[in-house]
Amino acid sequence: MAGDLILVLGDQLTPRLSALRKARKGRDLVLMAEVAEEATYVRHHKKKIAFLFSAMRHFSDELRDAGWDVEYVRLDSDANTGSLGGEVGRAVRRHGSGRVLVTEPGEWRLLQDMRGWQERLSVPVEILPDDRFLVSKEEFAAWADGRKQFRMEHFYRGMRRRTGLLMEGDAPCGGCWNFDAENRKPAAPDLFMPEPHREEPDRTTGEVLDLVEERFADHFGDLRPFWFAVTRAGAEAALAHFISVALPRFGDFQDAMLRGRKFLYHAVVSQYINAGLLDPLEVCRKVEAAYAAGEVPLNAAEGFIRQVIGWREYVRGIYWLKMPDYADMNFFGAARPLPEFYWTGKTDMACLAAAIGQTREEAYAHHIQRLMVTGNFAMLAGIEPRAVHEWYLAVYADAYEWVELPNTLGMSQFADGGLLGSKPYAAGGNYMNRMSDYCGTCRFDVKRKTGAGACPFNALYWDFLVRNRALIGDNPRLGQVYRTWDRMAEEKRAAYRESAAVFLSGLR
Ligand code: FAD
Ligand code: SF4
């Protein structure tokens, strides 16, 4: 009887994958393929493509060392058809495989495509659940069923109980579920600032870098210097480094932004977790152990664990519950094209120049830069959410649609009308000035509210709120803000609207 063909995707780089668990060594064949279609359907950052191709090549070696038969199709192999369906079809024909086994992908688009393979390729195709997540799609749907509003905090408490992380019996450690109130300190540039773990490219990575340089020259971002880990051992070293040097201050400065300090106390491990090199629950257990050993404070451990077992699982649940309609949501009817400076970084707004500049360099920006700088600006300026989504999907090394889309459309653009979050994350220059040191070097004056030279965020903030009052005016969390607007002198209000109009008309 012919063996099965086991397809392993580029973000499924773990030996514990459901498709590998169901396969039989010595009989089945593992297929891995670098395909142009996946690398180019948005023009992914060069570092992201290099990271995935190199991590895939290393993982295929790991599988061979573990006794698997692996067929690895390189991007520049002559016969490469350029698509996953094409490569599976070619391998099935070559090897006479009796069945295709694959763990479900993280994108609705690819899942739809796979569902058509059985008919197109005339071979049985079994798509298995991806159990690298703590909550299955069905469990999330059951949690969501009957709820008028979804709130991450409710979901998160259930996840703490389910995993037992930071729990003392049925109560949360420290008597409190969430220590976010302690996690909003601005940072000073003279604080000790750790850097993430970096690795020298080995020969395999070197070959991939040359390939990416040649084939994806017109993609966004700097390819070199390339320093991401590309193996499980490397990713584990990066995690251990984070836990020992940065985690103790992760909580305190989670929301802070500083010029030239691209990573602050963040973990820089999302690309490893999302690709399968690190297991999310194991990551959290290690963080919990550091807390139990007295090495990190509770606000840091809880803040980190909440992101992983809370937000990460929650956004994935929403993605699968609401796709495909979710991708088209546009609550505010925003229609402005994405400004060119999102690709070039060339803008006089120092906060945007910093966030976009480091995104070009590193394929990384931390959460508050994504949410409150690039995301906030796009929402205030009324940029079309799909264009914003495609930008985020392309530019970050950790971006896959299941996690990126709800974060962008839901959390940062409020394009889902409040399904994911309870109010739009809108902020003016004051917020940026409090949480960062960007404004000190900016051509714009953060204290000036309107007119030439005033920080554009100030007028855009009010313009956004007033423009969309019919849609969000009755949001109880915005009541105070709208009362402030209503009390404002007529000329001041007109000046805000006029400043915003002038700025937006000059936006290319
Ligand atoms: P840390 O700040 O150190 O956090 C620790 C871990 O928590 C991360 O590694 C990640 O696994 C998890 N995490 C934190 N916040 C979130 C979140 N909101 N959703 C899911 N997981 C989270 N994250 C992605 O993994 N891929 C994306 O494509 C992505 N796109 C985003 C787009 C926007 C507009 C916003 C606002 C956020 C996005 N995030 C995304 C979430 C978050 O910004 C990144 O997970 C985080 O910046 C990764 O860096 P880090 O590893 O240093 O994280
Ligand atoms: Fe950004 Fe305004 Fe500050 Fe300039 S002044 S850095 S535009 S918030």
Side-chain angles (χ1 to χ4, degrees):
M1 190 180 145
D4 292 339
L5 184 75
I6 318 299
L7 175 66
V8 174
L9 303 175
D11 59 351
Q12 299 182 339
L13 308 181
T14 169
R16 288 193 302 231
L17 194 69
S18 53
L20 286 169
R21 292 207 312 271
K22 199 164 179 184
R24 294 141 306 171
K25 272 184 199 166
R27 216 189 94 152
D28 298 337
L29 177 74
V30 176
L31 172 71
M32 298 181 71
E34 300 168 0
V35 292
E37 192 171 85
E38 295 304 313
T40 57
Y41 74 97
V42 293
R43 293 197 306 156
H44 298 287
H45 197 296
K46 295 188 195 82
K47 271 199 171 84
K48 177 182 184 183
I49 301 176
F51 163 64
L52 281 174
F53 284 1
S54 180
M56 285 168 70
R57 291 183 186 193
H58 282 92
F59 184 64
S60 70
D61 291 342
E62 187 185 328
L63 289 179
R64 282 193 193 100
D65 290 347
W68 290 98
D69 290 324
V70 182
E71 184 157 287
Y72 192 94
V73 184
R74 292 182 176 220
L75 187 83
D76 51 3
S77 133
D78 285 343
N80 192 328
T81 55
S83 75
L84 283 170
E87 285 315 289
V88 169
R90 216 158 59 84
V92 165
R93 283 193 297 279
R94 238 183 357 258
H95 302 283
S97 315
R99 179 173 66 157
V100 176
L101 275 184
V102 59
T103 295
E104 64 191 350
E107 268 191 38
W108 193 85
R109 163 194 69 87
L110 188 52
L111 181 60
Q112 290 311 102
D113 187 38
M114 276 180 185
R115 286 183 173 147
W117 287 357
Q118 178 150 324
E119 202 181 315
R120 263 181 15 232
L121 308 177
S122 307
V123 65
V125 176
E126 192 174 337
I127 304 174
L128 300 164
D130 189 348
D131 54 12
R132 291 175 297 162
F133 293 88
L134 301 170
V135 173
S136 70
K137 294 175 183 176
E138 295 72 27
E139 286 168 327
F140 189 86
W143 174 83
D145 191 34
R147 285 175 198 261
K148 281 212 186 83
Q149 282 188 324
F150 304 157
R151 288 297 165 255
M152 203 293 286
E153 197 59 34
H154 302 150
F155 173 80
Y156 167 59
R157 292 179 188 188
M159 296 303 293
R160 289 274 294 279
R161 289 198 174 97
R162 176 193 277 226
T163 57
L165 282 162
L166 297 181
M167 295 294 290
E168 284 160 357
D170 198 42
C173 283
C176 197
W177 292 101
N178 179 323
F179 292 86
D180 237 5
E182 296 174 30
N183 292 1
R184 298 195 184 113
K185 299 187 180 72
D190 56 354
L191 276 171
F192 161 72
M193 214 57 75
E195 282 288 318
H197 171 83
R198 290 167 194 261
E199 300 220 332
E200 275 297 308
D202 64 5
R203 222 179 95 207
T204 301
T205 302
E207 284 168 15
V208 168
L209 292 177
D210 292 344
L211 176 75
V212 172
E213 191 157 51
E214 189 196 318
R215 290 287 296 270
F216 304 103
D218 59 344
H219 281 220
F220 177 82
D222 299 347
L223 180 59
R224 294 186 169 88
F226 182 89
W227 51 269
F228 289 150
V230 288
T231 60
R232 191 169 321 286
E236 273 162 11
L239 176 67
H241 174 79
F242 161 69
I243 291 176
S244 67
V245 305
L247 179 61
R249 285 177 150 169
F250 169 85
D252 287 357
F253 303 113
Q254 204 176 335
D255 287 6
M257 297 174 278
L258 283 180
R259 261 191 333 265
R261 308 292 193 172
K262 302 173 193 169
F263 309 101
L264 281 105
Y265 299 94
H266 291 270
V268 199
V269 294
S270 47
Q271 69 278 30
Y272 306 137
I273 302 180
N274 295 350
L277 296 180
L278 293 176
D279 175 78
L281 187 57
E282 272 174 25
V283 168
C284 291
R285 296 246 180 263
K286 286 184 178 165
V287 167
E288 183 189 42
Y291 163 67
E295 290 157 12
V296 304
L298 184 54
N299 69 317
E302 188 282 317
F304 183 91
I305 286 172
R306 175 157 28 91
Q307 309 309 316
V308 180
I309 65 168
W311 280 111
R312 187 171 184 275
E313 295 284 333
Y314 178 69
V315 297
R316 180 193 184 242
I318 289 190
Y319 177 79
W320 286 111
L321 191 68
K322 294 295 173 187
M323 280 300 277
D325 298 343
Y326 201 76
D328 294 323
M329 290 182 122
N330 187 353
F331 180 65
F332 295 123
R336 200 176 294 281
L338 189 75
E340 182 63 18
F341 66 71
Y342 271 75
W343 299 109
T344 62
K346 288 189 183 132
T347 163
D348 287 343
M349 288 175 276
C351 50
L352 281 154
I356 297 166
Q358 75 165 73
T359 299
R360 283 179 64 88
E361 286 162 17
E362 311 290 6
Y364 179 88
H366 72 66
H367 187 67
I368 293 301
Q369 294 175 304
R370 298 187 205 194
L371 184 65
M372 300 310 295
V373 182
T374 41
N376 180 29
F377 181 85
M379 181 176 70
L380 299 186
I383 312 294
E384 206 241 316
R386 187 171 271 277
V388 182
H389 148 55
E390 285 177 3
W391 183 80
Y392 279 99
L393 186 60
V395 303
Y396 291 112
D398 59 17
Y400 302 89
E401 204 176 83
W402 65 266
V403 54
E404 176 278 325
L405 186 70
N407 267 302
T408 302
L409 238 77
M411 192 190 298
S412 98
Q413 300 302 292
F414 207 72
D416 64 4
L419 183 79
L420 187 137
S422 56
K423 79 173 180 72
Y425 281 98
N430 272 347
Y431 173 88
M432 225 74 80
N433 200 24
R434 191 167 65 247
M435 295 311 299
S436 81
D437 65 353
Y438 295 145
C439 302
T441 56
C442 188
R443 175 171 89 67
F444 296 103
D445 182 351
V446 71
K447 303 270 184 233
R448 280 189 72 174
K449 304 296 182 198
T450 56
C455 168
F457 278 88
N458 292 333
L460 287 177
Y461 172 74
W462 286 116
D463 190 60
F464 162 79
L465 288 168
V466 176
R467 211 169 64 224
N468 294 301
R469 191 164 191 169
L471 293 167
I472 49 173
D474 61 355
N475 183 318
R477 297 191 63 195
L478 295 173
Q480 180 60 38
V481 186
Y482 279 110
R483 278 193 291 282
T484 304
W485 174 258
D486 290 339
R487 281 198 303 268
M488 230 180 252
E490 189 55 46
E491 316 82 80
K492 205 169 165 188
R493 287 197 258 169
Y496 273 126
R497 303 286 322 259
E498 171 65 14
S499 286
V502 169
F503 178 83
L504 290 173
S505 68
L507 205 59
R508 274 193 304 137

